[in-house]
Amino acid sequence: MSLCKHLKGLAIPSSIIKKNHSIVLMAVCDAHYKFTLVDIGDSGSNSDGAVFANSRMGDAFAKMQLHIPDAESLPGSGTMYLYVLVGDDAFQLKQKLMKPYPREVLGIRERVFNYRLSRARRIIENTFGIVAARFRVFRRPIHARVEMVVNITKATVALHNYLMSEKAFESASKYCPAGFTETEGPGGTQLEGEWRSVVQRDQGLRDLTRAGSNNYSRSAKLVCEDFSNYFLSSAGQVP
C-alpha cells in the first residue's frame, strides 16, 4: 500500500522581497520507506487540496495514470478491495484515496478505521523522519533560490532511496538502524523512533496541518465502509 503526505518546509529567504518563502514536498512511499512519487516546488501558501489537485501527481491520479494495481481480495475475505493511497486530513476522501473519519463522528467502527489508517500512515511519517534526520541541509531554512532548493530536495530523495535499497551494506544499517523508525509495541502501543529526537528542534521541514474538504462521492464512502467492515472482522482485525 502506498502512502501520501504533505510536508511544508524549505523556507527560502528572498533577496528581492524581504520575507521567507516555503515550498511543498509531496510524496508517496512504499512499505519499505522508499519514495515512489514526489512533487516538489508548489508554494507553501497554497491550500493542501489545491497543491495536490494542481500537481502532476494529482493530475495523474485523477486521470488514473499512476498504474495503481487492480482490486484483489484480502486474506480471509472473498470481497475485492481497491488499492488506495492513504492520506491525512489534508486530503479529500476519494475512491482510491482514504483519509480518517472526522472526529465528530467517531464511534467504535470509525475509531478502529482511523487507528488502522494511522498505522499505515506511520510509514510515510517515518520516511520523512529518516530524511529530515539524516540530511542536515533540512535542519534549518535553506538560503538559496527556489530552483536550487528543488534540486537539493530531488537529490536527497534519490540518495535516500539508494541507501534504503542497499540495506545489505553496513553503511545502510547506519543510515536506518533498528529502532530508528517507529514500531508497534505490546498491545498495539506506538514506540517512537530515534529520528524524532534528532529532528525535534529543527526548523527546516514542517508538517502541514490544514484540513481538507469533507466532500466525497458515494463510491468513496463505499470503499471506506468496505475497509471498516474488514477491520472489524475476525479475518481483518489486529490484537
Side-chain angles (χ1 to χ4, degrees):
M1 181 176 289
S2 297
L3 308 161
C4 237
K5 183 170 179 64
H6 266 137
L7 268 189
K8 182 175 78 172
L10 316 176
I12 309 160
S14 171
S15 59
I16 301 176
I17 48 179
K18 303 301 182 180
K19 63 179 181 179
N20 289 345
H21 299 277
S22 61
I23 64 174
V24 173
L25 164 59
M26 182 188 303
V28 178
C29 80
D30 62 18
H32 304 289
Y33 309 116
K34 292 172 62 179
F35 293 110
T36 55
L37 285 171
V38 295
D39 188 273
I40 309 164
D42 206 329
S43 172
S45 62
N46 291 336
S47 68
D48 306 344
V51 171
F52 184 63
N54 295 330
S55 68
R56 293 178 63 185
M57 183 193 304
D59 182 62
F61 176 78
K63 295 177 179 177
M64 296 184 289
Q65 296 174 343
L66 292 184
H67 306 293
I68 296 176
D70 295 330
E72 62 179 77
S73 61
L74 291 173
S77 171
T79 303
M80 302 296 286
Y81 293 88
L82 292 175
Y83 278 83
V84 298
L85 299 180
V86 177
D88 56 20
D89 286 329
F91 296 90
Q92 182 179 354
L93 179 68
K94 296 179 181 294
Q95 189 178 24
K96 289 193 175 184
L97 200 165
M98 295 290 100
K99 61 176 287 184
Y101 281 103
R103 293 183 180 181
E104 59 268 20
V105 295
L106 291 185
I108 183 64
R109 190 169 182 268
E110 292 77 21
R111 289 173 60 193
V112 169
F113 176 87
N114 283 4
Y115 168 69
R116 297 295 291 275
L117 210 69
S118 176
R119 282 171 59 124
R121 277 183 42 237
R122 198 173 302 160
I123 305 298
I124 192 70
E125 296 277 357
N126 280 309
T127 304
F128 274 109
I130 295 167
V131 171
R134 290 310 193 199
F135 291 93
R136 293 180 177 272
V137 69
F138 295 135
R139 298 287 179 87
R140 57 184 60 84
I142 302 174
H143 294 260
R145 295 190 303 171
V146 173
E147 295 80 4
M148 177 60 72
V149 175
V150 170
N151 287 334
I152 290 171
T153 306
K154 288 180 180 178
T156 58
V157 167
L159 287 169
H160 167 83
N161 278 2
Y162 170 76
L163 290 167
M164 293 303 294
S165 298
E166 304 296 325
K167 293 189 71 66
F169 295 104
E170 184 180 357
S171 59
S173 64
K174 291 180 180 178
Y175 179 71
C176 185
F180 201 69
T181 59
E182 294 174 341
T183 55
E184 292 288 328
T189 57
Q190 179 178 329
L191 303 179
E192 284 197 353
E194 184 183 339
W195 67 261
R196 287 193 179 274
S197 63
V198 177
V199 304
Q200 60 182 347
R201 295 183 180 179
D202 291 353
Q203 299 179 357
L205 290 177
R206 297 193 301 274
D207 217 342
L208 283 181
T209 57
R210 296 190 297 273
S213 170
N214 285 326
N215 297 324
Y216 49 83
S217 66
R218 172 66 177 167
S219 59
K221 184 178 180 181
L222 290 175
V223 174
C224 193
E225 290 176 350
D226 283 344
F227 280 112
S228 296
N229 292 334
Y230 180 73
F231 295 152
L232 287 173
S233 70
S234 58
Q237 69 182 357
V238 293

